[in-house]
Amino acid sequence: METKDTKKFLEEFKKICESCGIKLTYQRLEIYRVLLEAKDHPSAEDIFARVQERVPTISLDTVYRTLATFEKFGLICKIYALDEKARFDPNVSHHHHLVCTKCHKITDFEWQEVDHLPLPSQARQWGEIKDRYLELRGICKDCLEKG
Ligand SMILES: [Zn+2]
Ligand SMILES: [Zn+2]
């Protein structure tokens, strides 16, 4: 699958690696590709299974280490929702999450009203607020459609 998009993606990933000082490897590239294609905020094990389809020789350990590197350089975010397992988010821009309590899928959404809502007056007593993030829990669209 050597499309225009693949080429563009490769070039962008190369640039990211150069600017972060990460060595570009085929395995890293494939892990990053899987992350970008994922819409469900996969766990390390999910990512491992998906990358294995393209790179059968990859080890789970490599996936763990690569995810830690990506996180360190701000390419992805690590999140915890319903499970104890960490989940990985390639969307590093500001957004909120809907967590499905049935299938545990995490869906991104934006809610600018919430982003701009004034903080409660007692917020100053809690500490210094730097960011806000909302986690909604419910049943996702896919699960609703399945009944
Ligand atoms: Zn669901
Ligand atoms: Zn997200």
Side-chain angles (χ1 to χ4, degrees):
M1 197 184 68
E2 195 54 39
T3 61
K4 235 189 206 166
D5 281 351
T6 313
K7 251 191 181 162
K8 210 176 123 203
F9 162 77
L10 242 166
E11 274 161 28
E12 268 166 27
F13 187 69
K14 252 189 215 162
K15 259 189 235 155
I16 291 169
C17 286
E18 273 165 24
S19 66
C20 298
I22 309 175
K23 215 178 116 203
L24 175 76
T25 66
Y26 177 59
Q27 296 192 335
R28 282 181 179 160
L29 178 80
E30 288 305 325
I31 292 169
Y32 193 62
R33 192 206 301 267
V34 161
L35 269 159
L36 284 188
E37 284 171 359
K39 298 275 174 264
D40 55 345
H41 302 69
S43 67
E45 289 75 13
D46 295 333
I47 295 163
F48 173 59
R50 291 173 205 177
V51 176
Q52 249 187 338
E53 286 172 21
R54 285 175 174 137
V55 193
T57 53
I58 199 154
S59 71
L60 182 57
D61 193 52
T62 301
V63 173
Y64 281 136
R65 275 187 285 116
T66 304
L67 290 172
T69 305
F70 285 171
E71 196 205 345
K72 193 173 129 198
F73 288 101
L75 294 181
I76 58 171
C77 291
K78 196 194 231 175
I79 49 169
Y80 292 92
L82 290 173
D83 324 276
E84 275 174 34
K85 261 191 222 163
R87 307 273 294 262
F88 295 90
D89 193 346
N91 183 358
V92 289
S93 62
H94 184 77
H95 66 280
H96 307 283
H97 286 143
L98 165 66
V99 180
C100 178
T101 52
K102 209 167 173 186
C103 69
H104 293 199
K105 189 170 79 179
I106 301 171
T107 313
D108 287 347
F109 68 91
E110 285 176 19
W111 195 351
Q112 281 172 3
E113 286 84 352
V114 163
D115 298 341
H116 297 120
L117 214 62
L119 290 167
S121 52
Q122 65 269 36
R124 236 173 282 157
Q125 290 158 31
W126 308 336
E128 196 189 340
I129 313 299
K130 301 211 175 186
D131 197 8
R132 59 179 82 186
Y133 157 72
L134 204 70
E135 185 182 298
L136 298 183
R137 291 190 176 181
I139 311 292
C140 75
K141 218 175 79 195
D142 289 346
C143 285
L144 281 179
E145 277 167 10
K146 272 182 233 156

